[in-house]
Amino acid sequence: MKQQKTIKWIHTVWVTACAVLFLFPLLWMLSSSLKTGPEVFSLDFRWLPEVFQWENYVRIWTDSKVPFWRLYVNSLVISVVGTLGQLLISSMTGYALAKIDFQGKNAMFMAMMVTMMIPAQATIIPRYMMFYTIGIYDTLWALILPAFFNITSIFLLRQFYMGLPGELMDAARMDGGSHLQIWGRIMMPLTKPALVTVTVLSFINSWNEYLNALIFLPSNKNFTVSLGIQYWMQMTDEYNLMMAAAASAIVPIIVLFIFTQKYFVESIATTGVKG
């Protein structure tokens, strides 16, 4: 018994040490964002500055060319609308692939899985030409529409739908329910953990998107948070301002995960058991 307690304490100390190591860059970023430029790399390092420089945040949020509030609005529109569209399309597609028998279903699913192996960089030029042709180049829709279709989300939801008992569908059919009614009223509410996981992953991907934003959103008015950080890295050598921009960028991700971590962990655990 005493040996087991000792082992548990060792594990606790080890995990705590790993957590501190992972948090160290984040804490350094937050500390640097509240310092003056010379204090960031001062030989006399201090975690807390002598005077908190809150004007660093004021400066980046009210910049005349690229105000961070506008970047936040653009990123939130892209992330929220893209995530909602992805939830709808992925859920319906996952339900169809898991619960509806139709000719060519397996071949279609395999073809969708194969597309996961195609590097995103290989489709940049075709997407550029297509977006320019249909008139959404240099608009937020250039990032929103592609976010609607995500093979990983479809696969995850398909696995969850396959784990649901078929008797639920049989009972609903006996009551005259259509596939749309069965999906919307019975099956989809039972996949709440998976939907939350898709929400978190989709929001993070859209919020952190850099390459596509760099190529398809050249105008300052359409800059996202990721492009805003790059802007401050190019326009100044003041690391305190760069760290203030980076610290501002991570707030929505942290808030989202705090409120959804229960369902996120549950989804991953359940998927592992059913797999």
Side-chain angles (χ1 to χ4, degrees):
M1 189 68 180
K2 185 176 181 180
Q3 184 179 6
Q4 291 180 349
K5 288 184 177 181
T6 302
I7 294 175
K8 287 183 178 179
W9 272 107
I10 293 175
H11 289 169
T12 301
V13 172
W14 167 248
V15 172
T16 303
C18 291
V20 171
L21 289 176
F22 278 106
L23 286 174
F24 185 83
L26 176 63
L27 296 176
W28 183 86
M29 177 184 67
L30 294 175
S31 173
S32 300
S33 69
L34 295 171
K35 295 178 178 179
T36 61
E39 283 183 305
V40 175
F41 294 111
S42 174
L43 295 178
D44 183 20
F45 177 79
R46 296 179 181 179
W47 281 105
L48 296 178
E50 295 183 2
V51 179
F52 288 90
Q53 303 295 322
W54 297 107
E55 57 268 23
N56 293 340
Y57 287 91
V58 175
R59 185 172 170 183
I60 66 166
W61 278 82
T62 59
D63 182 71
S64 58
K65 293 183 178 179
V66 185
F68 228 74
W69 67 264
R70 189 169 64 199
L71 310 183
Y72 248 66
V73 172
N74 292 339
S75 290
L76 283 174
V77 170
I78 292 171
S79 301
V80 172
V81 178
T83 298
L84 292 176
Q86 186 176 137
L87 284 173
L88 178 63
I89 293 176
S90 298
S91 182
M92 295 180 71
T93 306
Y95 170 80
L97 293 173
K99 295 299 184 181
I100 301 178
D101 293 326
F102 58 89
Q103 187 174 4
K105 179 176 73 172
N106 293 332
M108 182 183 299
F109 178 67
M110 289 302 299
M112 294 172 64
M113 296 299 294
V114 167
T115 62
M116 296 178 65
M117 304 179 188
I118 301 176
Q121 294 82 356
T123 63
I124 287 178
I125 295 178
R127 280 184 291 157
Y128 174 87
M129 297 174 64
M130 181 175 63
F131 293 163
Y132 190 83
T133 301
I134 64 179
I136 65 173
Y137 176 73
D138 199 17
T139 69
L140 301 185
W141 287 105
L143 265 65
I144 293 174
L145 288 180
F148 286 177
F149 309 95
N150 187 281
I151 305 303
T152 303
S153 299
I154 293 173
F155 174 77
L156 178 62
L157 291 170
R158 172 184 176 271
Q159 296 305 107
F160 257 78
Y161 281 122
M162 291 183 65
L164 298 178
E167 290 77 6
L168 294 174
M169 288 187 61
D170 296 336
R173 285 177 180 175
M174 292 181 62
D175 292 335
S178 64
H179 279 298
L180 185 61
Q181 292 173 327
I182 296 173
W183 165 75
R185 297 183 180 181
I186 299 175
M187 307 299 280
M188 186 179 68
L190 296 177
T191 62
K192 186 176 181 180
L195 291 175
V196 172
T197 300
V198 171
T199 299
V200 173
L201 296 178
S202 175
F203 188 93
I204 291 176
N205 288 335
S206 296
W207 185 266
N208 293 335
E209 181 60 61
Y210 173 74
L211 179 61
N212 289 325
L214 180 65
I215 296 173
F216 301 128
L217 301 177
S219 300
N220 288 4
K221 65 178 182 179
N222 293 324
F223 272 15
T224 61
V225 167
S226 298
L227 295 181
I229 296 176
Q230 181 214 31
Y231 168 83
W232 282 105
M233 291 178 64
Q234 293 179 338
M235 296 302 296
T236 181
D237 58 355
E238 298 182 69
Y239 280 85
N240 54 331
L241 297 180
M242 299 180 197
M243 295 302 103
S248 299
I250 66 173
V251 173
I253 303 299
I254 294 177
V255 172
L256 177 66
F257 186 76
I258 289 175
F259 284 100
T260 60
Q261 60 177 328
K262 173 184 175 182
Y263 298 103
F264 186 84
V265 175
E266 179 182 347
S267 172
I268 299 300
T270 305
T271 304
V273 172
K274 292 179 180 177

